[in-house]
Every structure is written in C-alpha cells, then in structure tokens.
Amino acid sequence: MKLKDKVVVITGASQGLGKAVALKVAREGAKVVLVARTEKLLKEVKEKINKDRREAEYFVCDIRDSDAIKKTVKRIFEKFKTIDILVNNAGVWSDEELEINKPEGRKNVVETNALGHINFTYEILPYFKKRNRGYIFNVISTSGVGDIPDGNNAAWKSYGASKWAIAGFTKALRDELKGTKIKVTGFFPGGFESNLYANAGRKNPHNQPWMMKTEDVADVVLFAMTRPEDVLIEKIVVAKM
Ligand SMILES: NC(=O)c1ccc[n+]([C@@H]2O[C@H](COP(=O)([O-])OP(=O)(O)OC[C@H]3O[C@@H](n4cnc5c(N)ncnc54)[C@H](OP(=O)(O)O)[C@@H]3O)[C@@H](O)[C@H]2O)c1
C-alpha cells in the first residue's frame, strides 16, 4: 500500500518504536496521528515531522481509560475524516522482581498492553467494517509468541500474560475479519533499544547485547505496511541474531 495521504494512527508515538515508525511513515507522505500521555514528547515528534513539511497531529490519551479513547478517536475523525491504519503500539514493561509486591504494576501492564489495544481497536473497527477496508497492526512481543523456548520467561510473567492476551485477540480478530478487506497483523519483536525498561526501573536498561536497533525494528513495521492491499502478513517474528 502506498502511504501517501493515508491516515496512520500510532499509539505510544511519543518515544521508542512508535516514534521511529511515526517518522518513517511521515517520510512516506502519510498523515500521522500521534497518541500517548506525555504532551511534551508528542509535541516534539509532531514538530520534527512538520519541520520536514509532513503532516502530523498529536492527541494526549491514556489508553487505560476507555472514555479517553472514545473521545480521542472522535477528535481524530473530526480532524482527519478518516483512518486507514491503526498501529497499537503503546506498551509498558513490568519487571517481576521489582513488582513482586506491587499489584498496581501488574494491573498497569495488562490494562495498557492488552485492554488498551483492545479498546482502541473496538473504537475504530466499526468504521473499518463500514468501509470494508483498514489495517490493524498490533505490536506484541516475542514474550507473546506461543512457541517461545522454555527457560527464558521468568522475568516477564505479567508482561507475557498481557502479550499473550493481545496475541489471542489479534488471532481472533483476524478470524472474524476473514473475507473482508481489513488486514490484521501480529508483530512479535524480540528486545530492542528504547526507554521501555528504564521506564520500569530495570537495572541496565540500555545497550544490551540482546537488543536490536529501534530503527531496524521500525523498518520491519514499514515493510509490512507498504505491501500491496491484497497481501496480508499475518505474523512477523523478529529477533536479534
Ligand atoms: N523494547 C523492547 O525490547 C520491546 C520488545 C518487544 C515488544 N516491545 C513492545 O513495543 C512497544 C513499544 O515499546 P518501546 O520499546 O518503544 O517502549 P517505550 O520507548 O517505553 O515507548 C512506549 C510508548 O507507549 C506509550 N504509553 C505507555 N503507556 C501508555 C498509556 N497508558 N497510554 C498511552 N500511551 C502509553 C509511551 O508514551 P507515554 O509514556 O508518553 O504515554 C511511549 O510512547 C510496546 O508495546 C512494547 O511492549 C518492546
């Protein structure tokens, strides 16, 4: 699909992968809708895109709040009239050792990584169905891949639960939309450089040997989005060599 003039909504676009994808799709000529909680960072991304004479707007929204999602989607439609692609990317990490006595950390990962994506999708899905067109791209994680090897999962029990939840939703949604022209992709990256781990208070959150470059991961997202309309990539798993 050519992204020129397509309206691409990206949750978690204030930093990390969401920001990298936003900058890339803007360069392809898309109208980029940036969603996250931190206005200062969103504004910086918007200004960077606008400086390149590309179109972007930001909407401050906490995706754990279903009313806020409803209002945000309404405002997006008011401003852009249409939505072509939804990238459900916002996410938080919860480190089990740090969160062991903090149920709010576990609540946060499930509400953000699973329920937030589900609610955002439901707000836009009726429109996609009416048009019989649209693309839902769910950023999951290798921790949500069913066949991940044993012995590597202890640190991400709640995080993994949130990612398995959204992986299940992604699969079921694709089943529901079979026979329509609405695409659904599940994206399962391994670790990459971002503020995800620092934001969760993890020790040594940057420059680890197991981390891919954010740019490289964003390139894979762009590849999936720019396939022809009749080519569906159901699932992508990417990992560091
Ligand atoms: N980094 C990795 O190793 C890795 C590996 C596999 C999968 N992933 C997944 O990739 C996605 C992007 O993560 P990242 O690594 O780029 O992390 P990041 O740099 O921490 O970015 C996360 C983004 O999500 C937003 N966000 C968090 N909670 C939110 C909420 N309640 N409402 C709205 N926005 C919210 C953040 O913005 P605000 O704080 O401004 O709201 C930020 O823009 C996540 O789904 C993550 O689970 C990451």
Side-chain angles (χ1 to χ4, degrees):
M1 187 199 307
K2 295 256 184 295
L3 294 180
K4 187 160 172 22
D5 294 329
K6 294 283 184 297
V7 177
V8 181
V9 177
I10 306 170
T11 69
S14 60
Q15 52 187 317
L17 180 63
K19 176 180 173 180
V21 171
L23 298 178
K24 283 185 192 295
V25 298
R27 263 177 240 134
E28 297 289 315
K31 299 175 183 177
V32 194
V33 181
L34 312 158
V35 177
R37 295 167 299 178
T38 314
E39 182 161 18
K40 183 176 172 288
L41 295 178
L42 285 169
K43 198 160 175 258
E44 282 171 15
V45 182
K46 172 186 155 60
E47 284 171 357
K48 204 169 160 56
I49 291 172
N50 291 160
K51 216 171 150 200
D52 285 343
R53 297 172 184 221
R54 303 294 188 186
E55 196 172 342
E57 194 48 82
Y58 71 80
F59 296 86
V60 176
C61 173
D62 185 333
I63 65 161
R64 292 168 300 181
D65 178 346
S66 57
D67 286 338
I69 292 176
K70 219 179 248 305
K71 283 184 196 137
T72 300
V73 170
K74 189 167 177 275
R75 287 174 57 213
I76 296 170
F77 276 119
E78 278 164 10
K79 163 98 187 151
F80 289 94
K81 312 292 176 223
T82 187
I83 293 174
D84 296 289
I85 300 176
L86 167 63
V87 183
N88 281 311
N89 161 79
V92 285
W93 166 261
S94 151
D95 200 300
E96 292 298 328
E97 281 181 22
L98 298 172
E99 302 287 354
I100 198 119
N101 291 316
K102 291 189 191 159
E104 65 274 15
R106 300 192 282 274
K107 186 169 184 268
N108 190 25
V109 280
V110 175
E111 285 187 355
T112 310
N113 301 353
L115 203 53
H117 292 206
I118 293 168
N119 287 336
F120 222 104
T121 303
Y122 268 107
E123 222 39 65
I124 293 176
L125 192 59
Y127 174 74
F128 280 179
K129 283 184 170 172
K130 207 165 134 194
R131 274 201 328 170
N132 192 24
R133 199 148 46 89
Y135 190 1
I136 298 159
F137 189 96
N138 289 340
V139 177
I140 310 177
S141 154
T142 45
S143 65
V145 176
D147 55 0
I148 191 159
D150 290 343
N152 197 22
N153 307 296
W156 59 46
K157 292 187 287 292
S158 309
Y159 182 79
S162 72
K163 295 297 186 178
W164 276 60
I166 198 64
F169 176 72
T170 303
K171 188 162 185 354
L173 187 63
R174 198 163 42 241
D175 282 354
E176 180 188 337
L177 296 171
K178 225 182 169 106
T180 72
K181 291 188 174 150
I182 305 165
K183 293 198 215 184
V184 182
T185 297
F187 182 49
F188 299 83
F192 58 85
E193 180 59 51
S194 75
N195 284 326
L196 188 76
Y197 305 106
N199 288 341
R202 182 176 167 149
K203 276 191 208 139
N204 305 318
H206 294 293
N207 300 317
Q208 293 301 307
W210 45 270
M211 287 178 177
M212 294 177 279
K213 290 189 188 122
T214 321
E215 281 293 303
D216 293 341
V217 179
D219 277 338
V220 180
V221 180
L222 187 68
F223 173 81
M225 277 186 198
T226 49
R227 292 314 86 207
E229 301 258 4
D230 61 349
V231 173
L232 166 65
I233 298 180
E234 293 189 358
K235 179 175 174 174
I236 310 172
V237 182
V238 276
K240 173 98 177 188
M241 284 285 283

